Amino acid sequence: MEGAPTRQGCPFHDVRQRLRRVGLRPTRQRVSLGWVLFAKGDRHVSAEMLFEEAMRERIPVSLATIYNTLRQFTDAGLLRELAIDAGKTYFDTASDDHHHFVIEDENRVIDIPGREIELTTLPTPPEGYEIAHVDVLVRLRKIGG
Ligand SMILES: [Zn+2]
């Protein structure tokens, strides 16, 4: 890791470097979508959201390409997949270990700040397995809603 973590925008050449570092060829489409994804700091996007944003930026892609690209980025470790519900998947541009609030009625995911969750006991994984990572989803609803 070089320098302090920045939540600022991510110019094209940074996206190219980021792709190369994880062994993905920086095609024009990947760089464009990477720029849309990573230019706004840490956040959580669905395929549909990214598709809409790409349209707005006049990047010519299909939804199928969006799905493929998100899959490739996730497999390469650039994104963390958050399966919220059956059929509702978000991709987290912050791929480090952290936990989330899910606001159920708003279909919104937000990070739980810093160390507000402390996991003191984890279950023993079954024989032959190890814990890869732990995601805690805390589901919220509006008071009085
Ligand atoms: Zn997150």
Side-chain angles (χ1 to χ4, degrees):
M1 279 295 170
E2 66 261 59
T6 165
R7 310 251 152 176
Q8 301 305 308
C10 187
F12 276 116
H13 73 270
D14 285 3
V15 175
R16 271 192 209 101
Q17 267 179 6
R18 211 189 269 219
L19 291 172
R20 281 206 191 91
R21 219 178 295 143
V22 296
L24 288 175
R25 204 159 55 85
T27 60
R28 190 195 299 190
Q29 218 155 36
R30 281 183 187 146
V31 171
S32 301
L33 290 176
W35 176 74
V36 173
L37 269 170
F38 299 117
K40 294 170 188 166
D42 293 345
R43 62 199 190 106
H44 313 96
V45 293
S46 65
E48 293 74 18
M49 285 161 68
L50 182 60
F51 184 60
E52 276 174 31
E53 290 182 16
M55 295 292 97
R56 237 176 286 141
E57 301 289 342
R58 305 190 191 290
I59 299 165
V61 281
S62 65
L63 192 53
T65 302
I66 299 267
Y67 279 114
N68 286 339
T69 306
L70 287 170
R71 174 62 40 219
Q72 290 162 356
F73 283 13
T74 303
D75 289 347
L78 292 174
L79 296 171
R80 166 73 62 84
E81 189 173 350
L82 298 171
I84 303 301
D85 286 305
K88 197 76 210 167
T89 299
Y90 286 91
F91 295 85
D92 196 333
T93 60
S95 53
D96 61 320
D97 269 315
H98 62 280
H99 308 294
H100 295 95
F101 286 126
V102 180
I103 306 176
E104 297 205 302
D105 293 339
E106 298 172 28
N107 268 328
R108 205 148 62 86
V109 180
I110 45 182
D111 287 342
I112 293 177
R115 311 216 160 273
E116 284 191 21
I117 286 190
E118 204 174 303
L119 297 166
T120 49
T121 312
L122 288 174
T124 308
E127 189 73 41
Y129 292 90
E130 61 178 4
I131 295 173
H133 59 261
V134 179
D135 296 313
V136 176
L137 288 183
V138 178
R139 294 169 189 274
L140 306 177
R141 63 171 170 241
K142 246 202 173 95
I143 297 170

